[in-house]
Amino acid sequence: MSRGPALGAPALSDPLSRERHRILHAVQDRLEEVAKTAVAVMRTEIPSYALQDERFFDDVRDQVLTHYRMQLAALAGGRDIAPEDLVFSRAAAMRRARAGFALEDWISAFRVGRQVLWDVLLDCAGTSAEAQQAALSLVTPLMRYVDFASTHAAQAYVEYQQHVVADADRERRDLLDQLLAGAAPARGPLLAAAQAYGIGPHSPMMAVVAVCVDDTRTGDLTSAEHGYATSASIGIAGPWAGRTLVVVRHGEVVAVPVVRTGMDAEDICSHFEAVQRRLAREGTMLSMGISTVAEGAGELPRAYEEARAALDLVPSGGGVAALPRLSPFDYLALRADDLARQLVDPRVRALLEDDRRRGDTLAATVQAFAEADLNLRLAADRLRIHHNTAHYRLRRIEERTGRNPRRIADLLELLVALAIRDGAGEGGDHQ
């Protein structure tokens, strides 16, 4: 935007030109009064302004007067407004943004200033036809000025907000880097930031790592939108008070939730699982790994590596792998490699694959039998089948695999083979 709007007079007859100048000079003579009126209206109509002190309104009055003088001088002298003419306004916009005023309040102040000035222009014009026509010739240039000046104000607000966001991002990244080095900050701004998230040297914490694996809205997984949208969603408070440190870094989103009083690891897992599902419904599919609890900042590096390792347990289509929900047996089975799968007896592997196609009735019987501590009648009750049916299934498993589920070693081998099969990620969802 190299040049501003043209505010000079259009081609007018001599009588209209004289009337126009008369109106402008009349307004100029009342300018202090007009500015005072504008500030009073702002004080009444803009709630955030009404709460301010007299020092603030002195600043507002100076801004209003400067804008009015610039407009009247331009209208009377027929010159354009350039961006450099509005440096004073950009500085004021920065002050308002820094003080926490909303952009709409600043724009409302422009609206009030324009309306008050227009009312005074009409009052000074009088009722004659020539005066009214001369006043109307001022409408377009005045609107152009307000549009131009308010646009500059909006740009100043955006620049300040971008600066604040960049500073906040940098502070969060610095805080996370220090925590992942195994130390909580002891002084300065990072200490204040850590305290804002409830993080202390000995606070119980967990690490959550999320990556975007699919997006049905844009298909662009490399855009920053995914990271920041995910960061915003994760940062929303769960069922507990308090903020969560969330940082976008190296193509992943890292969250460090604090396990607060009255919470446990399962609460954290449930909250992040709900976030993953909500984002999936909105079209962003995440893979998310959740660590066990770190007892203080010194253990957080270990928790972070756990969360990253847990990502390997998530199917390619996305989901959540929460280590607190896994037993050591589950974890080892899910981490099984191709060699482990090859070590499964071919007869056992064939039975389990055939059983999967038939509805997994034999697999369910093995699992229920183990969970019932080898009590077949109890397992049958839980499966809601006759105990003779359960007995027949165990006998069939033994006939086909050579493994007797009633023997601990054989039952353990069957359970391992089943866990390896289910952990292969063939369409499963390891929540």
Side-chain angles (χ1 to χ4, degrees), residues 337-411:
D337 55 16
D338 289 339
L339 177 58
R341 283 184 278 275
Q342 287 299 318
L343 291 175
V344 176
D345 188 305
R347 293 176 296 173
V348 174
R349 189 163 57 243
L351 171 73
L352 294 179
E353 292 306 320
D354 181 60
D355 185 49
R356 169 180 277 170
R357 290 189 291 269
R358 296 173 180 272
D360 268 342
T361 57
L362 298 182
T365 304
V366 170
Q367 290 175 321
F369 187 52
E371 291 168 2
D373 296 327
L374 310 189
N375 186 324
L376 187 58
R377 188 174 293 275
L378 178 58
D381 290 343
R382 291 177 176 175
L383 291 170
R384 297 183 179 179
I385 61 175
H386 195 277
H387 72 276
N388 286 339
T389 302
H391 180 76
Y392 166 76
R393 290 179 181 177
L394 294 188
R395 188 171 67 251
R396 189 157 174 248
I397 291 170
E398 183 177 4
E399 291 171 353
R400 290 194 56 183
T401 66
R403 269 68 176 180
N404 181 0
R406 296 178 185 277
R407 293 182 64 246
I408 295 297
D410 287 355
L411 177 61

Side-chain angles (χ1 to χ4, degrees), residues 32-50:
E32 292 282 347
E33 174 194 341
V34 177
K36 184 177 180 181
T37 300
V39 172
V41 175
M42 292 176 193
R43 197 169 195 162
T44 301
E45 294 190 2
I46 306 174
S48 62
Y49 276 36

